[in-house]
Amino acid sequence: MAVKGGAPARVLRVRAFAKVNLGLEVLGLRQDGYHELRTIFQTIDLHDDVVIHLRPRALDVECDHPLVPGDEGNLALRAALELRRHARVTRGARIEIAKRIPVGGGLGGGSSDAAAVLLALDRLWGVGLGPAGLQPLARRLGADVPFFLTGGTALGLGRGDEVYPLWTQVRAHLVIVAPDRPVSTSAVFARVDQSLTPRENSNTIFRFVSSDLEGLRAFPVLTNDLERAALEEAPDLAPQVRRIRGILVRGGAVLASLSGSGSSFFGLYDDARRARGAQSVLRDAGFEVLRARTVTLDQYRGFWARSLRGLRDARVSNQARSRHHGDHGRQGHPGGGRKAQGLRVDRV
Ligand code: ATP
């Protein structure tokens, strides 16, 4: 990576954002053994911090969470290996993950780390595939990985790996309860199979997408078809989920739902004050609660453009950088400190 006027960049710090599924329909089992889904993905500003150091050859990963593997079981390392093989690169990297997204919570942490590594190493190694060129690699890594190359509010079809950004983008506040109890996605799908009836005519996602998202009216049509199977898989969660949903809804949530296959449960609010209210009631009831905001497509693209532009600037002006420390990653919301807003839907 020879760059005029400066030494090659050696370190890149990025955020790997979490997602929730605002709705999820399981349409049936495909011939290849995967499930045919329709889902609405939504990026949120809860994130892992991923730091990537360039290395001559060695490729490894380190994560500060005990449930996350530090070997090839880690999806972020698998992403790096896949890119290296695909692009016939000989360089290496050290990937450090500070885990903040609850593990096994249906919030897509592993998939997001993997997509972040693809985007970052694509630039650091000078491969230059870009998000579109990285799509086939992302699909091989996992059904949720392609979404994180796009971000914002998006429709997921097929295994969830065919991703279409929505014309309308959701701006809202979330309250998330992530029980300290991972639920296995494959076990939940295995239970779904036992009770699956063809649902080609199911149309809640279709109604949501075609409703033009007028204000709050569209959200109550959304459901998550995995919820019943997830609660059968983790029956100890059922009474908690009933309580959590009750509190979220009484607090004014326009949608209260399990994310993915669980175990995280979230409420969506048009107003920060209501979200804070629900958060404090849940805390008083003894739950671990997180608060987040949605990240729109524009905000997500802006975040990645800034992260990768920062890299280019660093390479071009190494000297200048050494005079300005502390420019790694802006703090706060990726929208850039924008004032908190209610639930809005924006045209993209
Ligand atoms: P999924 O639906 O794919 O299971 P999830 O959002 O419910 O995703 P993740 O936090 O991605 O859950 O973790 C699921 C499993 O993947 C865990 O068992 C974890 O050990 C493993 N894993 C591998 N790499 C990672 C990673 N980088 N971050 C989190 N978990 C990882």
Side-chain angles (χ1 to χ4, degrees), residues 67-69 73-75 97 99 102-110 113 185 262:
L67 293 182
V68 177
N74 192 306
L75 207 52
I97 302 169
K99 198 38 80 185
V103 174
L107 299 173
D113 293 346
T185 302

Side-chain angles (χ1 to χ4, degrees), residues 16 48 50-52 59-63 68-84 93-97 99 109-119 121 125 141 145:
D48 292 342
V50 182
V51 183
I52 300 172
L59 195 49
D60 50 43
V61 68
E62 184 185 274
C63 180
V68 177
D71 57 15
E72 286 182 28
N74 192 306
L75 207 52
L77 180 58
R78 290 223 297 278
L81 289 164
E82 184 73 21
L83 179 63
R84 186 156 80 165
R94 174 162 189 77
I95 302 161
E96 294 169 0
I97 302 169
K99 198 38 80 185
S111 302
S112 186
D113 293 346
V117 164
L118 287 179
L119 289 164
L121 283 179
W125 284 343
L141 290 163
V145 183

Side-chain angles (χ1 to χ4, degrees), residues 283-297:
R283 280 221 172 114
D284 291 348
F287 292 105
E288 285 280 325
V289 196
L290 300 167
R291 232 155 36 83
R293 285 164 63 186
T294 57
V295 176
T296 64
L297 181 65

Side-chain angles (χ1 to χ4, degrees), residues 230-314:
L231 295 182
E232 281 168 17
E233 179 60 25
D236 48 305
L237 286 182
Q240 287 189 47
V241 162
R242 268 196 302 277
R243 271 186 87 195
I244 295 166
R245 175 176 267 136
I247 294 172
L248 291 170
V249 170
R250 281 194 297 280
V254 293
L255 175 69
S257 176
L258 194 75
S259 183
S261 57
S263 56
S264 300
F265 206 85
F266 68 91
L268 191 76
Y269 293 84
D270 62 348
D271 168 306
R273 200 175 38 82
R274 285 202 189 98
R276 278 197 301 273
Q279 179 185 29
S280 81
V281 177
L282 284 162
R283 280 221 172 114
D284 291 348
F287 292 105
E288 285 280 325
V289 196
L290 300 167
R291 232 155 36 83
R293 285 164 63 186
T294 57
V295 176
T296 64
L297 181 65
D298 274 354
Q299 289 170 336
Y300 197 77
R301 285 181 176 159
F303 163 79
W304 273 103
R306 281 195 302 277
S307 298
L308 300 178
R309 190 185 324 122
L311 169 64
R312 198 161 50 235
D313 294 343

Side-chain angles (χ1 to χ4, degrees), residues 8-312:
R10 306 223 143 260
V11 184
L12 186 54
R13 291 159 201 268
V14 295
R15 292 178 181 184
F17 293 99
K19 59 86 182 163
V20 291
N21 300 83
L22 295 176
L24 193 156
E25 293 174 350
V26 183
L27 301 181
L29 194 57
R30 309 180 344 166
Q31 296 219 315
D32 61 9
Y34 289 104
H35 293 84
E36 185 72 17
L37 306 180
R38 275 186 209 141
T39 186
I40 305 288
F41 287 115
Q42 175 66 58
T43 312
I44 60 174
D45 63 359
L46 170 67
H47 60 87
D48 292 342
D49 289 310
V50 182
V51 183
I52 300 172
H53 303 260
L54 262 188
R55 289 277 153 89
R57 242 164 230 286
L59 195 49
D60 50 43
V61 68
E62 184 185 274
C63 180
D64 59 0
H65 194 291
L67 293 182
V68 177
D71 57 15
E72 286 182 28
N74 192 306
L75 207 52
L77 180 58
R78 290 223 297 278
L81 289 164
E82 184 73 21
L83 179 63
R84 186 156 80 165
R85 192 192 54 76
H86 176 89
R88 299 201 174 91
V89 172
T90 54
R91 275 171 233 249
R94 174 162 189 77
I95 302 161
E96 294 169 0
I97 302 169
K99 198 38 80 185
R100 299 207 216 156
I101 304 172
V103 174
L107 299 173
S111 302
S112 186
D113 293 346
V117 164
L118 287 179
L119 289 164
L121 283 179
D122 181 51
R123 180 59 70 89
L124 265 176
W125 284 343
V127 178
L129 291 173
L134 292 168
Q135 281 285 340
L137 281 77
R139 289 172 104 156
R140 282 202 289 278
L141 290 163
D144 285 352
V145 183
F147 166 67
F148 290 103
L149 297 175
T150 303
T153 313
L155 174 66
L157 300 179
R159 293 188 296 141
D161 57 346
E162 291 172 32
V163 180
Y164 303 92
L166 289 186
W167 173 246
T168 44
Q169 294 287 304
V170 175
R171 286 177 187 270
H173 301 264
L174 292 99
V175 173
I176 303 164
V177 184
D180 194 13
R181 161 74 159 94
V183 175
S184 152
T185 302
S186 53
V188 171
F189 274 108
R191 280 185 187 267
V192 167
D193 291 345
Q194 292 162 17
S195 58
L196 202 60
T197 49
R199 300 196 52 214
E200 282 81 0
N201 295 327
S202 169
N203 65 0
T204 62
I205 301 265
F206 175 72
R207 279 170 56 205
F208 179 79
V209 172
S210 58
S211 70
D212 243 357
L213 300 182
E214 283 168 13
L216 314 181
R217 278 187 294 142
F219 289 90
V221 304
L222 293 172
T223 55
N224 182 340
D225 284 353
L226 297 179
E227 182 169 328
R228 206 172 68 187
L231 295 182
E232 281 168 17
E233 179 60 25
D236 48 305
L237 286 182
Q240 287 189 47
V241 162
R242 268 196 302 277
R243 271 186 87 195
I244 295 166
R245 175 176 267 136
I247 294 172
L248 291 170
V249 170
R250 281 194 297 280
V254 293
L255 175 69
S257 176
L258 194 75
S259 183
S261 57
S263 56
S264 300
F265 206 85
F266 68 91
L268 191 76
Y269 293 84
D270 62 348
D271 168 306
R273 200 175 38 82
R274 285 202 189 98
R276 278 197 301 273
Q279 179 185 29
S280 81
V281 177
L282 284 162
R283 280 221 172 114
D284 291 348
F287 292 105
E288 285 280 325
V289 196
L290 300 167
R291 232 155 36 83
R293 285 164 63 186
T294 57
V295 176
T296 64
L297 181 65
D298 274 354
Q299 289 170 336
Y300 197 77
R301 285 181 176 159
F303 163 79
W304 273 103
R306 281 195 302 277
S307 298
L308 300 178
R309 190 185 324 122
L311 169 64
R312 198 161 50 235

